[in-house]
Amino acid sequence: MNLLLAEVAQATQRLADAGVPSPRFDAEELAAHIHGVKRGELHTVGDGDFDARYWEAIARREAREPLQHITGSAFFRYLELKVGPGVFVPRPETESVVGWAIDALRDMDVAEPVVVDLCTGSGAIALAIAQEVPRSRVYAVELDDGAHGWARRNIEASPDAGRITLLRGDATRAFEDDPSAAGRFDLVISNPPYIPLTEWEYVAPEARDHDPQLALFSGEDGLDTLRGIERVAARLLRPGGVVVVEHADTQGGQVPWLFREDQGWVDAADHRDLNNRPRFATARRAAP
């Protein structure tokens, strides 16, 4: 075993002892990042090329700093995004939310669908839709100044930047001063804050101590922002347009009920992620 692989084994144990959920993956990913190789190429790093900065990176991860903050990037569907302090790190479970939305857009008989991503954070959802639905026009709304800066950097670096409009504002009041926006959108999508304030102590340190609080918590039951998004979606969507919202796996029985028939919604339903956990709700705007 070469030196780097031996160090990775030690690092894996340190991360496991610190409670890191995926210690071997993280140890290998950090080794690859520091040494400028792929994870499958760690064995090619010679003993004389071992970089002691690896242990600085391991110490940061041991303290539960997000892996993506240390490497400076996060992978989401077919994208590699720049992330760091001040922005919510996109999660793998959100990929299934976006996948459903992309399928819905492709099924629509609309040549150039118009989409809004509320609470865009790093821009992950907006960028994924723009990339995978090539004729779409996507608006991305973000309130937090730090997150808005990360979204701007990611969007500006994208070949699809010309079809994405980044806006600074409150997702629960999006386009309220633009009467022409009413009924103009085909899809509203959001991964909003949805953690109840009462559950602060149960949140993983990577999120609780490093993600923006604005991206995590939303009232006593976690549904305040989702209620606001329901009102915005009702205003922005055309008849037949669709809303897609992520939620906590404990909220599957609550969120579809926000989209009531007496408020003009039909086909409200909940969906499970790849781990078979309730993950997102969808609803369709009724015809007049």
Side-chain angles (χ1 to χ4, degrees):
M1 180 183 294
N2 70 12
L3 176 61
L4 180 55
L5 292 180
E7 300 292 84
V8 166
Q10 293 182 42
T12 298
Q13 188 58 56
R14 277 181 54 173
L15 296 182
D17 291 343
V20 172
S22 51
R24 175 162 291 280
F25 175 88
D26 289 16
E28 292 179 349
E29 191 71 14
L30 289 171
H33 170 68
I34 293 295
H35 293 89
V37 298
K38 297 178 180 178
R39 283 177 57 219
E41 300 171 340
L42 295 177
H43 66 282
T44 67
V45 178
D47 291 355
D49 295 322
F50 176 75
D51 192 331
R53 291 180 302 167
Y54 177 58
W55 288 110
E56 296 175 13
I58 290 298
R60 291 170 65 183
R61 187 69 187 102
E62 194 174 23
R64 305 300 291 273
E65 184 176 347
L67 172 70
Q68 296 86 351
H69 283 196
I70 303 170
T71 64
S73 63
F75 295 92
F76 186 82
R77 292 183 70 85
Y78 304 105
L79 300 167
E80 182 176 358
L81 304 165
K82 297 299 182 184
V83 296
V87 69
F88 182 83
V89 175
R91 301 329 197 235
E93 51 265 32
T94 306
E95 294 189 18
S96 60
V97 183
V98 175
W100 191 98
I102 288 170
D103 288 343
L105 287 169
R106 289 172 175 167
D107 289 342
M108 291 179 181
D109 187 20
V110 178
E112 298 180 350
V114 183
V115 177
V116 60
D117 170 22
L118 301 173
C119 308
T120 196
S122 65
I125 291 176
L127 283 160
I129 290 175
Q131 180 187 65
E132 298 180 55
V133 186
R135 295 180 63 86
S136 60
R137 176 71 187 178
V138 185
Y139 293 82
V141 179
E142 177 55 52
L143 176 62
D144 182 79
D145 185 55
H148 186 276
W150 285 105
R152 175 176 49 78
R153 286 189 282 274
N154 283 318
I155 291 169
E156 288 177 350
S158 168
D160 301 304
R163 293 186 291 106
I164 304 173
T165 301
L166 177 63
L167 303 172
R168 175 81 183 278
D170 185 342
T172 64
R173 302 175 62 183
F175 296 96
E176 69 177 5
D177 296 325
D178 182 3
S180 68
R184 185 157 59 91
F185 288 82
D186 299 291
L187 185 137
V188 173
I189 185 169
S190 182
N191 177 17
Y194 49 68
I195 301 174
L197 291 169
T198 53
E199 295 186 11
W200 181 90
E201 62 185 299
Y202 304 111
V203 178
E206 287 86 348
R208 185 188 64 217
D209 300 336
H210 296 278
D211 281 332
Q213 301 294 291
L214 191 63
L216 299 178
F217 301 101
S218 187
E220 291 299 314
D221 64 356
L223 300 179
D224 283 2
T225 303
L226 279 162
R227 293 186 183 95
I229 287 173
E230 182 276 327
R231 293 189 293 271
V232 170
R235 174 165 44 86
L236 297 182
L237 286 172
R238 62 167 175 82
V242 175
V243 61
V244 188
V245 291
E246 184 170 335
H247 57 70
D249 56 11
T250 57
Q251 296 169 331
Q254 300 170 274
V255 176
W257 290 102
L258 298 178
F259 300 92
R260 305 193 312 271
E261 289 189 13
D262 62 357
Q263 295 295 330
W265 296 103
V266 294
D267 302 329
D270 207 57
H271 306 263
R272 294 179 176 267
D273 60 20
L274 295 178
N275 294 314
N276 201 34
R277 296 173 178 169
R279 181 55 57 193
F280 63 100
T282 62
R284 189 174 304 276
R285 202 67 185 141

